[in-house]
Amino acid sequence: MRVPLSWLREYVDLPATETGRDVQAKLISAGLEVETVEHLGADLKGPLVVGQVLTIEELEGFKKPIRFCTVNVGQANGTGEPQEIVCGARNFAVGDKVVVVLPGATLPGGFSISARKTYGKTSHGMICSSDELGMGDDGTHGIIVLPPETEVGKDAIELLELVDEVLDIAVTANRGDCLSIRGVARETAIAYGLPLRDPALLDVPGPNAYGYPVKIADPTGCDRFTARTVTGLSAEARSPIWLQRRLQKVGMRPISLAVDVTNYVMMELGQPLHAYDRSLVQGTIGVRRAQEGEKIVTLDGTERKLHAEDLVITDDRGPIGLAGVMGGANTEIADHDAAENGGNATSDVVIEAAHFDQVSIARTARRHKLSSEASRRFERGVDPQAAAAAAQRTVDLLVLLAGGTAEAGVTEISAPSAPHTISVPADHPDKVAGVEYGRETVVRRLQEVGCDVYGQDELIVTVPSWRPDLDDINDLAEEVIRLEGYENLPSTLPRPPAGRGLTSRQRLHRRVGRALAGAGYVEALNYPFVGEQVFDQLGLDADDPARRVVRLVNPLSDEEPALRTSLLPGLLAALRRNDGRGAHDLALFETGLVFHPRGEQRVAADLPVDRRPSEDDLAALDAALPDQPRHVAVVLAGAREQAGWWGKGRPADWADAVESARTVAREARAELGVRKGQYGPWHPGRCAELFVTVDGEERVVGHAGELHPRVLKTLGLPARTCAMELDLDALERVGDDIPQAPGISTFPVATQDVALVVDAFVPASEVEAALREGAGELLESIRLFDVYDNAEQLGEGRKSLAYALRFRAKDRTLTVDEASAARDAAVALAGERVGAVLRS
C-alpha cells in the first residue's frame, strides 16, 4: 500500500517538521511494515511552468516527425517573449496548455536542461511528458495536456504536486483496514497521540423505496449491498489534476472521471466500488452464485467460464460482474474518448458499494487467476459499515466534478448482524507480555483502535467493524502490546528442562547428513511438489504404487499439483540445472519426506489451542494425513575423483551409488542386503536392489545404480548419471539405536585369497553371499578386490572374481588347516550355488 504523506496529512495534523522517515519509524514501532519511503521530486529543480502552444511548424527531412513550437510561458522566462522549443510528440495542438521546463532546470534523474541546437533549430527548453517528470503512467504516453483554464506561467511543480514523500507499506493478510488511507491515518493518529479526521464520517441518507432495484439471492456471500444513482454526467468532464496525481502516487493509472472517482474512494476509505453504465444495465441488479458453465467477459477483455461457487453480479441477461473481483465488459463506463470515436459517453451511472464474503472472493480470484485491487481488500477484510459512506462520497465527487445530479433513491440491503464482543480479563495482556500494563493502559489502548470497553476486572470489548481480525482475547492482547511497543518487552531467555535433547530419529538424520557430506556429497533441498508427467519420464510402470499421489487443492503451480512420492525428480532437476550452468562434476543428496495417500481419506479435525491436544486428538489428526516416510537419495554425474598429480581420477559409476546406500546403512546400524534388481529409471543391467530382513522376511527398501539412457535423454541429464534412493525410516526400524563398541581380538587374523570363475551374468553379490555362508562363523570379513574377464584365458561368457577372506577366532589362534578348511567350505558352497570354480 502506497501512502502519500500529503494525503495522510489531510486526516492527521502531523507536525510540519515530521518527514516521511519520522512517520516510517513511528508506524514500524506500532507494528506496520513500512518497507521504503520514496522521495518524489527530490532532485527536481525549476523553472517548470505552464505554457500555451502558440505555433507549430512541422520540420521535414528527418527520420521521425519533428515539430518546432513557440510557447507562451508568461514572465517565467524573464522576457515575456514566446519560448522556442523543438518537440517530437504529436498529442498536442495549437492552443493547448502544456508543461514547459526552461533552461537551468533539472529533471528527475539529474537531467539538466539547457538551450541546445537540434534538428537545425535551437530548443530553449522542453515540453514535458509524465514519464519525464517521474509522475508515473497517465495512460497517454505523451505530452501532458493541462485543462484549458490552467493559468499560463503558473509553477507546475506546485500545480502537479511533484514534490512529496510516499510510504510503501507491506500490509499483512490480517490488516485489510490498512489497505486504505483511512486505515493508515488511524494508525498514524494513534502512534502520534493525535485526533483523526475520519473521512467516512459523512451524512448519509437512509434507504428508501426509490432506489435502484437490487435482489440478494445469497446473503451469506453478500451481507450488504448499497446502490446509488447519479445522472447527467458531463461528457466533457475530466479528472482534475489533484485526483489524477493522488491516484498516480498510490500506483494507479487515471482512466476516466467516473472510474477514477471510484478508485479514489476505494484508496481513501478501503471500500471497493463499481460504477455501471445505467443505460446498459437491464432490469434488477442481483447477487447469486454462478451456474456451472456460465460465461462472462470481464473488463480486461477475457472471456471466463464461471464455476458454481463463483459469486456474480447479474441483471436480467445474466452475469455482469465477478463480485468483489472485476466488473463485466457489457456494462463498462464509456468516457469522452468513446464519444469522440462515434460512441456515446456514459451520462448516468449506478454506484455499487457492497460487502462480500472473504473466503468466497479469495477463492474466486485464485480460481480465475485474477487478482485485483478490489479482491485484495475483500479477501483481507473490508469494513461492512463503510459501504454507505463510500457510496455517498462517490456520489458527492461525481456531482462536484462531473456536474451530475444525485437521485433521491437509496438502496441498502443488509443481513442482520450483531457486533462482535469479546470477554477478556483486564490483566490478560500483562500475562501474555510478561509486563505489568495495568487496567487503565489496556482500556486506553483498546479504545484507541476503536473498541468499546466496559467492565472492571473482566472487560467486555466490542470490536470495531473495520477490524475483523480481532477475534479472541489474544488478538486484543497483541493490540495492547504492539501499541505499547514491542521494543519495550523484556528479553528473557527460557530455561530448557534438564534431560531433553534430540530424539534417536533426529540423531540418525543428522548422522546420515554428516556421513554423506563427509563422503563428498552436497545437500540440495527441493520443493516437495511434482507434476505427474515426471513418472512417465522416469519410466515407471502404469501400475507402479509411486504413481498414486496426494493432489493439492490449491497448488502453487498448476504444472506441479501433487506431492512427491520420490526424492529423485527434485534432485535430478537440481543436477540438470547445475550441469547446464557449467558444474559438471556433481554429487548431491537430500533427506526428506515423501507422501503416499492412505486407502481411506478422512477430514482432519480442528485441534484445541487452549490446551495440549490429547493422544486421541493427535492420533485422529495423524490418521487424516497421508503416509509420510522419510527417504534419503543421492545423484552423481561427472568425475567422482578428480585427476591430478596424485592420479588419473575416475568417473562416478553405479558402485558409488551402492556405496552411498551402505554408508547410510552403517549410520543406521542396519544390515543392508544388495542384489541385482530392475526398477523404473535404473539401467536394467546396472541396478542394485536394496533390502533388509524384517522378522525373517526380506523387504525391498530402495534401489541404486546407473540410470537408464532413455531416462537420461528424456530429462536432459549427463551420460552415466547414477542415483540411489532409500527408505530411511525402514532402515531406522531394523537398525540398532544402541551404539555397539567394536570387539578387539587379541588373536591374529588369517587371510586367504580365492579367485573364482563364474558365468558373466552371475552377480558378484550372489557369489559373496555363498562364500560368506560357506565360510561359517570364523569369517570376519570378505572383500572383492579384482574382476577379470579375458575370454582367451577364461572362455567366452566367463569372468573371474577375486576375494580376500579374513578369518579369526575369538578364543584362539587359527591354524593354517582351520583357515584352509573354512576357505574350502566357502568355495564348495559357491560352486554348488552359482557354479563357481577355482581359477587355475
Side-chain angles (χ1 to χ4, degrees):
M1 176 69 192
R2 291 171 56 85
V3 180
L5 191 59
S6 59
W7 199 350
L8 195 62
R9 288 182 182 275
E10 278 201 11
Y11 310 125
V12 183
D13 288 328
L14 294 172
T17 57
E18 288 295 284
T19 66
R21 294 290 185 192
D22 299 327
V23 177
Q24 177 189 30
K26 285 282 189 179
L27 292 180
I28 289 176
S29 178
L32 292 186
E33 186 181 349
V34 185
E35 294 186 324
T36 60
V37 177
E38 183 179 353
H39 298 270
L40 302 181
D43 51 356
L44 176 64
K45 185 178 74 171
L48 187 72
V49 299
V50 175
Q52 184 173 24
V53 180
L54 301 177
T55 64
I56 298 177
E57 177 187 351
E58 301 288 345
L59 301 182
E60 305 292 340
F62 300 103
K63 294 182 179 180
K64 61 179 182 178
I66 298 296
R67 312 167 96 185
F68 181 65
C69 311
T70 59
V71 184
N72 176 21
V73 295
Q75 296 298 319
N77 58 3
T79 65
E81 296 295 325
Q83 200 79 2
E84 297 180 339
I85 299 174
V86 175
C87 183
R90 308 191 66 77
N91 68 313
F92 64 96
V94 171
D96 282 347
K97 302 288 181 65
V98 294
V99 178
V100 179
V101 58
L102 300 177
T106 303
L107 293 183
F111 182 54
S112 298
I113 302 299
S114 60
R116 64 191 182 96
K117 191 169 184 179
T118 179
Y119 296 104
K121 300 285 186 178
T122 300
S123 182
H124 299 271
M126 188 168 72
I127 302 176
C128 298
S129 69
S130 59
D131 288 338
E132 291 163 342
L133 297 180
M135 295 171 57
D137 185 12
D138 63 355
T140 65
H141 301 289
I143 294 302
I144 301 170
V145 179
L146 300 171
E149 64 273 12
T150 309
E151 179 187 349
V152 172
K154 184 178 178 62
D155 183 2
I157 296 179
E158 179 183 350
L159 174 70
L160 299 177
E161 301 177 12
L162 297 179
V163 179
D164 202 349
E165 293 181 277
V166 179
L167 285 70
D168 194 352
I169 303 175
V171 179
T172 55
N174 65 319
R175 291 303 304 272
D177 62 304
C178 287
L179 285 174
S180 67
I181 304 297
R182 178 196 185 201
V184 177
R186 182 180 292 108
E187 291 294 315
T188 305
I190 295 171
Y192 279 91
L194 296 172
L196 170 71
R197 288 188 293 274
D198 192 342
L201 294 181
L202 301 174
D203 290 331
V204 180
N208 54 49
Y210 310 109
Y212 198 93
V214 175
K215 181 180 180 181
I216 309 296
D218 189 341
T220 302
C222 176
D223 59 4
R224 186 177 293 268
F225 195 106
T226 300
R228 300 288 299 275
T229 304
V230 180
T231 60
L233 301 182
S234 171
E236 303 301 321
R238 307 288 192 275
S239 298
I241 293 174
W242 64 266
L243 192 149
Q244 293 186 46
R245 287 297 295 134
R246 286 192 170 179
L247 289 179
Q248 288 174 330
K249 290 176 184 179
V250 298
M252 303 190 77
R253 179 172 64 87
I255 299 173
S256 65
L257 178 57
V259 176
D260 291 349
V261 167
T262 58
N263 286 336
Y264 177 85
V265 175
M266 176 181 67
M267 303 307 296
E268 182 181 54
L269 302 182
Q271 168 67 52
L273 302 111
H274 190 70
Y276 301 94
D277 188 328
R278 183 176 179 178
S279 66
L280 300 178
V281 179
Q282 298 182 10
T284 301
I285 292 178
V287 183
R288 62 168 171 84
R289 298 289 173 175
Q291 299 173 8
E292 195 68 43
E294 276 188 311
K295 295 181 179 178
I296 183 175
V297 178
T298 46
L299 288 173
D300 59 357
T302 302
E303 183 179 78
R304 302 181 186 278
K305 186 176 181 181
L306 300 177
H307 188 275
E309 293 184 5
D310 290 337
L311 197 65
V312 293
I313 311 297
T314 64
D315 64 4
D316 291 350
R317 296 166 296 177
I320 60 173
L322 270 175
V325 180
M326 186 173 285
N330 54 354
T331 56
E332 182 178 6
I333 298 291
D335 58 13
H336 55 273
D337 291 335
E340 292 176 359
N341 294 326
N344 294 319
T346 298
S347 60
D348 302 338
V349 296
V350 178
I351 307 299
E352 166 209 307
H355 184 262
F356 301 110
D357 176 62
Q358 291 179 239
V359 175
S360 176
I361 300 306
R363 288 179 175 172
T364 296
R366 283 156 179 74
R367 190 180 296 119
H368 294 282
K369 297 181 176 60
L370 184 61
S371 178
S372 64
E373 292 289 346
S375 67
R376 284 184 63 216
R377 283 161 176 78
F378 278 123
E379 64 190 36
R380 286 166 173 78
V382 168
D383 181 5
Q385 302 295 332
Q392 182 64 45
R393 176 75 164 138
T394 305
V395 168
D396 292 344
L397 287 173
L398 288 177
V399 170
L400 174 67
L401 302 177
T405 301
E407 288 196 349
V410 177
T411 302
E412 187 169 333
I413 300 175
S414 60
S417 62
H420 181 46
T421 60
I422 304 172
S423 177
V424 55
D427 61 349
H428 182 69
D430 301 13
K431 294 178 179 178
V432 172
V435 176
E436 188 174 343
Y437 293 123
R439 179 189 176 279
E440 290 185 3
T441 299
V442 171
V443 171
R444 175 171 56 83
R445 288 303 189 184
L446 292 179
Q447 288 176 338
E448 285 177 346
V449 299
C451 297
D452 289 332
V453 186
Y454 302 97
Q456 292 298 319
D457 295 337
E458 190 76 15
L459 303 178
I460 306 300
V461 180
T462 302
V463 175
S465 59
W466 57 82
R467 291 297 302 274
D469 59 305
L470 301 182
D471 192 52
D472 60 29
I473 61 175
N474 291 314
D475 295 329
L476 299 179
E478 182 181 3
E479 290 300 295
V480 175
I481 295 168
R482 76 177 180 88
L483 294 179
E484 284 296 305
Y486 291 121
E487 68 276 10
N488 297 323
L489 293 177
S491 177
T492 306
L493 294 176
R495 294 183 179 179
R500 298 289 180 87
L502 298 177
T503 65
S504 59
R505 188 172 191 232
Q506 291 170 328
R507 288 195 297 269
L508 171 61
H509 297 164
R510 294 197 178 190
R511 288 201 308 271
V512 167
R514 284 194 292 264
L516 290 175
Y521 292 87
V522 176
E523 186 171 15
L525 301 178
N526 299 287
Y527 287 117
F529 311 118
V530 295
E532 295 180 61
Q533 72 279 359
V534 75
F535 301 126
D536 296 325
Q537 297 169 343
L538 292 177
L540 300 186
D541 294 335
D543 58 348
D544 195 298
R547 286 182 175 269
R548 294 183 61 243
V549 295
V550 177
R551 291 180 178 83
L552 300 171
V553 174
N554 187 24
L556 293 179
S557 168
D558 289 340
E559 296 179 358
E560 295 179 330
L563 293 173
R564 66 188 177 192
T565 56
S566 167
L567 301 181
L568 289 184
L571 272 180
L572 293 175
L575 185 141
R576 179 179 64 246
R577 186 163 53 250
N578 282 276
D579 180 74
R581 294 176 180 176
H584 303 302
D585 302 326
L586 296 162
L588 308 178
F589 85 93
E590 180 178 11
T591 62
L593 301 180
V594 299
F595 306 85
H596 300 287
R598 297 182 187 268
E600 178 186 358
Q601 292 189 356
R602 304 180 183 179
V603 178
D606 292 333
L607 295 181
V609 296
D610 58 341
R611 57 181 172 80
R612 184 186 186 281
S614 67
E615 296 301 325
D616 291 340
D617 291 335
L618 295 176
L621 177 63
D622 186 62
L625 298 175
D627 288 327
Q628 302 176 52
R630 183 172 290 272
H631 281 201
V632 57
V634 306
V635 292
L636 305 101
R640 184 65 177 133
E641 295 178 2
Q642 297 291 336
W645 59 265
W646 53 85
K648 297 181 179 179
R650 67 174 182 84
D653 61 16
W654 62 268
D656 294 305
V658 174
E659 182 57 28
S660 69
R662 290 195 173 107
T663 299
V664 173
R666 282 194 294 271
E667 295 302 323
R669 303 183 185 99
E671 216 38 68
L672 183 68
V674 180
R675 63 191 175 204
K676 181 180 179 181
Q678 183 173 345
Y679 177 70
W682 279 276
H683 192 296
R686 297 167 188 164
C687 174
E689 188 175 76
L690 312 173
F691 64 93
V692 295
T693 302
V694 182
D695 298 330
E697 294 185 3
E698 293 181 351
R699 176 187 169 188
V700 177
V701 293
H703 295 83
E706 185 179 313
L707 297 181
H708 198 290
R710 183 171 58 249
V711 173
L712 302 182
K713 182 178 179 181
T714 302
L715 295 177
L717 298 171
R720 296 301 179 95
T721 297
C722 301
M724 179 278 294
E725 184 165 12
L726 197 58
D727 187 336
L728 189 54
D729 284 354
L731 276 186
E732 180 190 6
R733 285 191 289 271
V734 300
D736 186 359
D737 185 48
I738 302 175
Q740 300 291 331
I744 300 175
S745 176
T746 59
F747 300 99
V749 66
T751 302
Q752 296 275 357
D753 293 345
V754 295
L756 303 177
V757 179
V758 297
D759 290 331
F761 62 82
V762 175
S765 60
E766 293 185 12
V767 178
E768 179 180 326
L771 290 173
R772 188 182 297 276
E773 182 178 342
E777 295 182 354
L778 294 179
L779 181 66
E780 183 178 83
S781 67
I782 181 172
R783 179 175 62 89
L784 175 67
F785 67 86
D786 184 57
V787 179
Y788 182 67
D789 57 358
N790 190 314
E792 293 182 3
Q793 296 185 18
L794 303 178
E796 193 67 35
R798 304 281 281 175
K799 65 181 178 182
S800 170
L801 303 175
Y803 292 89
L805 286 73
R806 291 167 56 92
F807 298 97
R808 195 194 311 257
K810 297 180 180 179
D811 56 351
R812 67 188 187 281
T813 299
L814 293 177
T815 64
V816 175
D817 293 339
E818 286 177 313
S820 298
R823 180 202 61 190
D824 294 341
V827 172
L829 187 58
E832 180 183 334
R833 290 271 182 86
V834 297
V837 296
L838 279 171
R839 177 180 167 191
S840 58

